Amino acid sequence: MTNIFIKSASEPEPTNWKRYFSFSTDHKVIGVQYLVTAFIFFLFGGLFAMIVRAELLTPQLDVVDRSLYNGLFTMHGTIMIFLWIFPANVGLANYLIPLMIGAKETAFPVLNAIAFWLIPVVGILLLFSFFLPSGTAQAGWWSYPPVSIQNPSGHLINGEFLWLLAVTISGISSIMGGVNLVTTIFRMRSPGMTFLRMPVYVWTTFSAQLLQLFCLPALTGAAIMLLFDLSFGTDFFSPFKQGDPVIYQHLFWFYSHPAVYVMALPAFGVFSEVIPAFARKPLFGYKTVAISSLLISVISTLVWVHHMFASATPNWMRILFMATSMLVAVPTGIKVFAWTATIWRGKLHFQTPMLFALGGVAMFLFAGISGVMLASVPFDIHVNNTYFIVGHFHYVVFNTVTMALYAGIYFWFPKITGRMYSEGWGKLHFWLTFIGANLNFFPMHPLGLQGMVRRISSYDPQYTGWNVVASLGAFLLGMSTLPFIANIVSSWLRGRKALNNPWNATGLEWTTSSPPPIENFEEIPIVTSEPYGYGESHRLAADSSSI
Amino acid sequence: MRNFNIALLAIFVGAIVLASHALGQQAYNWLPVAATTEADLVGHLFSFLVTLGTIVFLGVMGMLLYSILFYRATKNDPSDAPAIRGNLKLEITWTVIPILLVIWIASYSYNIYQRMSILGSLPLVHLHIMEAPAYAEMGSSDMQPAEQIEVVVKQWSWSFRYPSQNVTSTELHLPVNQRVHLMLQSKDVVHGFYVPNFRIKQDIIPNQTIPLRFTPNRIGKYQLHDSQFSGTYFALMTADVYVDSPETYNQWLAEAATRPPVPAVNLAKSEHSQPPKTPLRSKWHTVSPAQPPVVNK
């Protein structure tokens, strides 16, 4: 059976640590490459945020000059979205999806590898722009024209140029990754793994990656048009030459709102794997949770104008998109209630992955409620472009998605490395992160309600108090990554050997060795029941007989 | 035992509703002082949203915390919990309740937005939700004689022109209790008109004139901020807004009309020529500030 999968390439891939620095087509290697690369960029993005928070410690401008401030928040947002959350999610999915569906590989291994190797290119382009005489892009991660295409330096190669190039390449990479993951889930499930037997993490990744295929081309197209406006004299978005800057906003948000769900859906997937394992109970209402993932995707393609309630949008558009935006609360609510019901009457164990998952769910609840508020047009008009929005989306992208990524990394660490992490360091990491994140992002809500506008480098002294709290929280949050790094590095090198199934969890990835062999399974498993068979006699979904 | 549990649940729900109501009443104070009739409406909406949101938050958090406290596994217990896979009735309930809640929130928001009519009126839909309709006072507000003021933005300055008196100013003066009609225009990039006390915000798209209507109802001095990122000196782009009594307003207009027009003082311009000495300096190219507006005051 195995010899048909032997690589046709003449040179065998390295099997030691060197394989992580090679053009590997093994989805597990690519998964780790994505995760480690993304985490390095996460540190850069975090460092930029800390400089921004240092500037905002006082009302006056006293740390950086205005151009540098604008460049820093632009790079912070861009790096966190395009180089941390997207690639980290894709990395985790790359590692897990074939294992979870009982496949030996992904559908397009070479495409997969190319998609990964584009990520460092994106990162180098963005970071290099700090050294240009024109500086980095400074128009925020939305890069709205006309301010983004003003190009005061007059140089052809300027920060905005590199930024648009980077976003375009990142878009191409994500579309490649999406093609690979969607095809893998559609075509490569093991016998018996029907759609309604797939773990929720597979469902959420499927739903998220479908969004990449459907919506991302809009942003990639917009970035290319903006690049032409910036550098080659076209006028797609120039208001004084019969272009329309508002069309750019529509194209941008047509992708960038669904993008929030591309980021958040896999987080919901992680919660749905971790919580049952540590509550020792099946996921409550598995089918509704699974299908609501797809519903979230569908609805999220019809809500983008809620980012533009204060833009040049007519009344009918504001009202229509208010209604669609609020509908998202229904399938997401189903998920939160299902997780709550899963731990109800469970037998809860509080290892690090569970702490991150529960912390993430609690803060997502908060983010979801402020999200419904923001869908309300009259309230949004007051807080649009204020710190209330900044607080809201950090509760989503950090307090929910990044918490879920941490939960996932700790949960699958034994599977990926074959070693256990240190529980004490993990718990310390959780508490520092949880406290730091809330200190950092909660104060942004009262600041926004008071009317503090986002993206300002100096502010009215009346806002000082909450800004000091937020800045201290940001520094604590920065420090909180240190125990994580120490834990991961030392455990990877010297941690206790992990069992194949250290959490006694269900799911096919736990039926193979830790770390899994090159082709994942000794024998392709046959699936005979729904996932999450905790408390049932046939706990593992897989049957042990072979093909 | 069953009755006891129901009683406990009733106490839990009652406590949450009371706490949420109290927080909803507090919510008015989290916003800056309201200075327009629209701001009063948004205040009610916000209080309503906070009340409902708190009920949901405390309800779910209560269940989560209860589980965390009382359903801990005993040490070294490897056994599983009961294999409860779901409950159709419960799942239908928690799908239907959010649908009803968002319909309620959306209708109430529509109602408020209709009464604000900042971009002109919406089709009137009678929604008998939460409180008695107040169209009589608000619905007709478009009929009031509106004071028309031209607002012109550039990188990075505001100017306000009063066509009836041919006065241009860097300060925005508005008569109290009168419907105001602003004509927003940008000369370069997208900017935004935002006065937190007014709860009103509108992007200003270059090469368009965007009308914005509202009714200031509290005399005082407020601050206008650019709300859409407009480049290097975005943070400096503020202006003073005065809501005046009719007498003060007319007096100010008449006085301003007598002053000779001069180029305005401009923060972006002065900072551009003399940048602050911050420890981290980039020396990156920046767009030069546009010529400050020529104003009477």
Side-chain angles (χ1 to χ4, degrees):
Chain A
M1 264 317 275
T2 49
N3 57 357
I4 58 164
F5 286 94
I6 286 176
K7 299 275 177 308
S8 55
S10 51
E11 243 180 283
E13 284 182 9
T15 50
N16 56 1
W17 59 270
K18 282 183 190 158
R19 68 183 184 277
Y20 294 114
F21 295 90
S22 71
F23 187 85
S24 172
T25 54
D26 181 341
H27 73 94
K28 298 185 290 299
V29 175
I30 294 174
V32 173
Q33 286 175 325
Y34 262 117
L35 282 167
V36 173
T37 311
F39 188 78
I40 291 168
F41 288 122
F42 175 59
L43 295 178
F44 277 104
L47 178 71
F48 299 161
M50 283 161 80
I51 303 174
V52 164
R53 284 311 324 174
E55 177 58 67
L56 295 177
L57 205 49
T58 58
Q60 311 78 22
L61 190 76
D62 42 22
V63 177
V64 293
D65 64 23
R66 303 223 186 247
S67 306
L68 185 53
Y69 182 88
N70 298 341
L72 284 169
F73 77 67
T74 300
M75 285 299 137
H76 164 71
T78 308
I79 286 174
M80 287 306 197
I81 289 165
F82 294 107
L83 291 169
W84 161 238
I85 294 184
F86 279 167
N89 269 329
V90 171
L92 202 59
N94 248 298
Y95 197 96
L96 293 173
I97 293 295
L99 288 164
M100 284 181 160
I101 61 173
K104 294 186 174 190
E105 243 309 337
T106 57
F108 306 113
V110 175
L111 187 76
N112 200 19
I114 296 172
F116 163 71
W117 282 103
L118 290 177
I119 295 296
V121 176
V122 173
I124 290 164
L125 282 176
L126 288 177
L127 292 178
F128 174 74
S129 66
F130 274 99
F131 303 102
L132 291 176
S134 65
T136 63
Q138 295 159 46
W141 82 276
W142 311 348
S143 199
Y144 275 7
V147 82
S148 57
I149 51 176
Q150 282 190 309
N151 190 13
S153 71
H155 302 161
L156 178 66
I157 306 295
N158 55 64
E160 184 66 25
F161 181 87
L162 293 189
W163 187 91
L164 286 165
L165 212 57
V167 168
T168 307
I169 296 171
S170 154
I172 293 167
S173 159
S174 291
I175 292 170
M176 286 175 164
V179 167
N180 185 38
L181 285 168
V182 168
T183 314
T184 304
I185 294 169
F186 215 81
R187 302 285 303 177
M188 303 195 50
R189 282 165 289 130
S190 73
M193 178 63 89
T194 58
F195 266 84
L196 283 172
R197 285 180 185 168
M198 296 193 314
V200 170
Y201 183 78
V202 182
W203 269 98
T204 54
T205 299
F206 185 66
S207 312
Q209 295 299 323
L210 277 178
L211 282 178
Q212 294 284 57
L213 297 185
F214 186 70
C215 301
L216 184 47
L219 175 71
T220 309
I224 292 170
M225 284 187 257
L226 198 59
L227 186 74
F228 272 78
D229 273 11
L230 173 74
S231 306
F232 307 115
T234 58
D235 296 306
F236 293 110
F237 306 124
S238 315
F240 299 104
K241 294 173 188 161
Q242 295 185 329
D244 187 348
V246 181
I247 296 292
Y248 174 86
Q249 299 179 9
H250 281 289
L251 288 169
F252 180 83
W253 291 115
F254 182 81
Y255 170 64
S256 296
H257 185 78
V260 176
Y261 293 93
V262 177
M263 300 186 244
L265 277 164
F268 303 160
V270 171
F271 296 152
S272 304
E273 302 306 316
V274 170
I275 290 173
F278 291 91
R280 312 307 306 160
K281 258 183 78 195
L283 181 67
F284 194 95
Y286 158 71
K287 285 194 177 109
T288 43
V289 174
I291 292 167
S292 60
S293 311
L294 213 52
L295 265 180
I296 290 175
S297 286
V298 173
I299 300 173
S300 78
T301 59
L302 299 168
V303 303
W304 76 91
V305 174
H306 69 221
H307 295 268
M308 300 165 61
F309 282 161
S311 184
T313 41
N315 283 330
W316 69 264
M317 206 185 267
R318 295 179 180 188
I319 296 302
L320 175 68
F321 281 87
M322 169 167 82
T324 55
S325 301
M326 285 190 182
L327 272 186
V328 182
V330 178
T332 45
I334 288 174
K335 293 196 171 202
V336 173
F337 297 137
W339 299 322
T340 310
T342 303
I343 69 168
W344 187 259
R345 296 183 58 199
K347 289 192 175 178
L348 306 188
H349 297 260
F350 294 98
Q351 274 96 335
T352 310
M354 183 63 156
L355 291 180
F356 273 102
L358 289 177
V361 169
M363 293 191 286
F364 175 63
L365 178 64
F366 188 82
I369 290 167
S370 59
V372 172
M373 290 181 163
L374 288 173
S376 167
V377 171
F379 176 66
D380 179 83
I381 286 175
H382 173 52
V383 291
N384 187 298
N385 271 347
T386 68
Y387 263 87
F388 191 90
I389 305 280
V390 183
H392 163 75
F393 72 69
H394 279 92
Y395 264 75
V396 178
V397 290
F398 192 96
N399 297 10
T400 305
V401 179
T402 303
M403 294 291 272
L405 279 166
Y406 280 137
I409 289 169
Y410 282 110
F411 187 56
W412 284 291
F413 184 82
K415 181 55 60 186
I416 296 173
T417 63
R419 292 176 185 276
M420 293 304 286
Y421 62 86
S422 145
E423 202 57 64
W425 284 97
K427 284 180 177 156
L428 175 72
H429 174 217
F430 168 75
W431 285 110
L432 290 179
T433 309
F434 187 76
I435 296 166
N438 280 296
L439 278 181
N440 190 350
F441 304 125
F442 180 80
M444 295 180 174
H445 295 84
L447 283 173
L449 290 172
Q450 283 293 314
M452 179 170 163
V453 174
R454 71 191 286 194
R455 296 178 167 158
I456 49 177
S457 38
S458 53
Y459 55 85
D460 196 275
Q462 61 162 315
Y463 302 123
T464 311
W466 282 116
N467 270 302
V468 171
V469 179
S471 289
L472 296 179
F475 303 143
L476 179 63
L477 200 52
M479 293 302 117
S480 78
T481 49
L482 298 179
F484 173 72
I485 297 170
N487 194 355
I488 292 301
V489 171
S490 67
S491 302
W492 204 329
L493 295 174
R494 285 197 297 273
R496 187 159 53 82
K497 288 262 186 248
L499 302 171
N500 289 353
N501 189 358
W503 311 119
N504 204 9
T506 65
L508 296 181
E509 76 270 30
W510 303 108
T511 62
T512 187
S513 62
S514 300
I518 290 205
E519 288 177 355
N520 295 345
F521 300 95
E522 296 291 323
E523 285 160 7
I524 289 296
I526 298 174
V527 180
T528 55
S529 60
E530 267 192 17
Y532 311 109
Y534 297 97
E536 291 171 357
S537 47
H538 295 289
R539 279 215 324 99
L540 293 178
D543 198 85
S544 57
S545 60
S546 68
I547 313 172
Chain B
M1 194 60 199
R2 195 181 157 77
N3 282 344
F4 179 70
N5 282 344
I6 291 174
L8 263 186
L9 191 69
I11 292 171
F12 176 63
V13 172
I16 285 178
V17 171
L18 279 179
S20 306
H21 178 74
L23 211 64
Q25 291 307 305
Q26 278 298 310
Y28 289 97
N29 307 328
W30 306 341
L31 299 168
V33 177
T36 57
T37 49
E38 291 72 19
D40 295 329
L41 292 169
V42 174
H44 299 316
L45 174 66
F46 179 57
S47 166
F48 163 77
L49 290 171
V50 168
T51 309
L52 264 192
T54 312
I55 291 176
V56 175
F57 185 76
L58 293 181
V60 179
M61 278 306 282
M63 305 289 268
L64 285 172
L65 287 175
Y66 183 88
S67 303
I68 288 169
L69 289 175
F70 296 108
Y71 295 126
R72 289 169 171 269
T74 45
K75 223 178 163 78
N76 302 323
D77 176 6
S79 68
D80 284 348
I84 308 163
R85 278 203 171 269
N87 178 327
L88 190 65
K89 267 190 207 161
L90 193 60
E91 285 166 57
I92 291 174
T93 313
W94 73 39
T95 309
V96 171
I97 289 178
I99 292 177
L100 295 178
L101 279 182
V102 297
I103 291 176
W104 189 13
I105 296 171
S107 319
Y108 188 40
S109 305
Y110 180 88
N111 182 305
I112 294 284
Y113 188 63
Q114 190 178 46
R115 286 156 69 183
M116 290 167 72
S117 73
I118 46 176
L119 294 187
S121 49
L122 283 157
L124 206 65
V125 178
H126 277 278
L127 297 162
H128 298 283
I129 292 162
M130 278 292 280
E131 54 194 281
Y135 307 118
E137 8 143 353
M138 285 299 304
S140 61
S141 51
D142 280 342
M143 303 302 170
Q144 290 176 19
E147 181 70 42
Q148 269 208 22
I149 302 164
E150 291 168 14
V151 178
V152 179
V153 273
K154 298 192 276 195
Q155 281 172 319
W156 288 266
S157 66
W158 293 94
S159 65
F160 310 97
R161 186 166 173 272
Y162 297 76
S164 55
Q165 316 282 328
N166 198 21
V167 163
T168 306
S169 172
T170 52
E171 294 169 356
L172 177 60
H173 283 253
L174 303 169
V176 73
N177 293 331
Q178 247 193 72
R179 194 77 175 155
V180 171
H181 195 143
L182 300 183
M183 308 297 284
L184 308 173
Q185 294 168 33
S186 165
K187 296 290 177 200
D188 38 47
V189 300
V190 182
H191 297 267
F193 179 95
Y194 178 43
V195 182
N197 303 78
F198 293 179
R199 316 279 190 273
I200 288 193
K201 188 177 287 124
Q202 176 59 50
D203 281 6
I204 312 172
I205 311 294
N207 210 20
Q208 285 188 24
T209 300
I210 298 179
L212 185 67
R213 303 179 188 87
F214 55 93
T215 312
N217 63 1
R218 183 178 178 277
I219 292 173
K221 183 185 172 190
Y222 308 99
Q223 198 169 53
L224 166 67
H225 205 293
D226 188 359
S227 58
Q228 189 60 271
F229 181 71
S230 58
T232 313
Y233 300 101
F234 170 61
L236 296 176
M237 205 167 149
T238 57
D240 292 333
V241 180
Y242 297 84
V243 176
D244 299 329
S245 67
E247 303 79 50
T248 323
Y249 175 73
N250 287 326
Q251 200 184 335
W252 176 81
L253 260 184
E255 214 177 285
T258 62
R259 290 171 197 261
V262 286
V265 179
N266 185 264
L267 285 176
K269 196 99 185 152
S270 45
E271 193 176 299
H272 184 69
S273 55
Q274 213 168 22
K277 293 191 173 22
T278 53
L280 291 172
R281 255 167 296 170
S282 66
K283 300 196 180 112
W284 292 343
H285 301 269
T286 58
V287 173
S288 305
Q291 280 306 320
V294 176
V295 293
N296 302 78
K297 183 177 178 163

